[in-house]
Amino acid sequence: MARVIVVASGKGGVGKTTIAANLGIALSLQGEEVVVLDLDVAMANLELILGLENQPVTLQDVLAGRDMIHNAIYEGPGGVKIVPAGLSLYGLKDMKLERLEEVLETLTEDIDILLIDAPGGLERDALAALQVSNELVLVTTPEITSLSDALKTKIVAEKIGMEILGVVINKERSGKEFLTPDEIQTILNIPVIAIIPEDKELNIASASGNSILEKNPKSNTSKLILGLASRVIGKYSLENDLSSKGIVSKFFQTVFSKYLNVNKS
């Protein structure tokens, strides 16, 4: 039975798709049979990051009933398989998310991991991505606004009953205006499983349709992403020692718990 892991974030612009693409490649390079599925059908970017745009069949065609899912699977870097969402705005109108369950049943045959790139936020498509997955990798940046939205996603995932593998801090920077990894770990109450610093080379690689793992496999970012893949394969335990909650942490937990009514049954 394949593991179905969703890479999600509370908002757009945190680099979630870049993490999902490179994590999929890293898992494949470590011997896993991996398919990366782009479920961000409205704002698809996975195919652009991996240089796979303009493919003849995409997830849009499959969910519209125009083609079969096996025709929408393409070879990506490092042997990873990619299912692009499709970039056509016209193609969105005929899609039916009800067909997604059948798509997943087919995709999870004879593979180890199905990695889903979810839409940012908690709209209908994003919730669908969470509901069809078993495990969650949460991506945030060290800004308060990004973290507050990530906390909402984490709470929803817990309500659904998902296993949360941990949080990836992307575009990590230092400064008084940014939260530290300890603060992020404490606020979310889940482990930090990777810290990816702000990296111009990673941004350039993604913009040109390349993976940093292909472009510069010896870079620090590549090593960090490969390390993240190793932790995902090892099913990183949530039983870690979290740092004591500071003032900022207590503020976030209190405010957002009340805001989302998480204590109400």
Side-chain angles (χ1 to χ4, degrees), residues 79-244:
V80 69
K81 302 294 191 305
I82 306 294
V83 177
L87 301 174
S88 169
L89 292 177
Y90 175 79
L92 292 174
K93 68 182 184 67
D94 296 326
M95 291 192 316
K96 296 186 183 301
L97 284 176
E98 296 78 32
R99 295 190 174 104
L100 187 57
E101 185 176 349
E102 182 180 347
V103 167
L104 295 184
E105 286 180 3
T106 302
L107 283 177
T108 51
E109 294 174 356
D110 303 320
I111 67 168
D112 299 311
I113 297 173
L114 175 62
L115 196 65
I116 296 177
D117 179 25
L122 288 172
E123 299 298 327
R124 177 172 174 261
D125 291 352
L127 289 174
L130 293 176
Q131 289 168 340
V132 299
S133 306
N134 307 120
E135 303 171 61
L136 168 68
V137 171
L138 190 58
V139 180
T140 187
T141 56
E143 291 93 352
I144 289 177
T145 53
S146 176
L147 189 64
S148 66
D149 289 337
L151 180 58
K152 297 170 193 175
T153 300
K154 178 245 185 180
I155 292 170
V156 170
E158 287 178 333
K159 285 180 172 286
I160 294 172
M162 299 182 69
E163 178 179 356
I164 303 175
L165 300 181
V167 59
V168 175
I169 303 173
N170 195 32
K171 304 181 182 180
E172 194 268 340
R173 287 152 286 177
S174 60
K176 292 182 179 179
E177 68 271 36
F178 302 113
L179 295 164
T180 67
D182 282 346
E183 289 174 319
I184 291 171
Q185 183 166 260
T186 302
I187 291 166
L188 293 176
N189 198 31
I190 58 176
V192 173
I193 54 174
I195 300 173
I196 311 297
E198 183 74 55
D199 186 346
K200 290 183 179 179
E201 187 177 5
L202 176 62
N203 297 333
I204 292 170
S206 298
S208 61
N210 295 305
S211 162
I212 187 75
L213 291 164
E214 278 191 312
K215 195 173 180 67
N216 189 354
K218 295 184 179 180
S219 70
N220 182 54
T221 297
S222 292
K223 292 175 183 177
L224 291 170
I225 293 170
L226 286 166
L228 170 61
S230 295
R231 300 186 92 167
V232 169
I233 292 171
K235 303 261 310 198
Y236 180 71
S237 173
L238 298 183
E239 295 176 359
N240 65 318
D241 293 326
L242 298 178
S243 59
S244 299

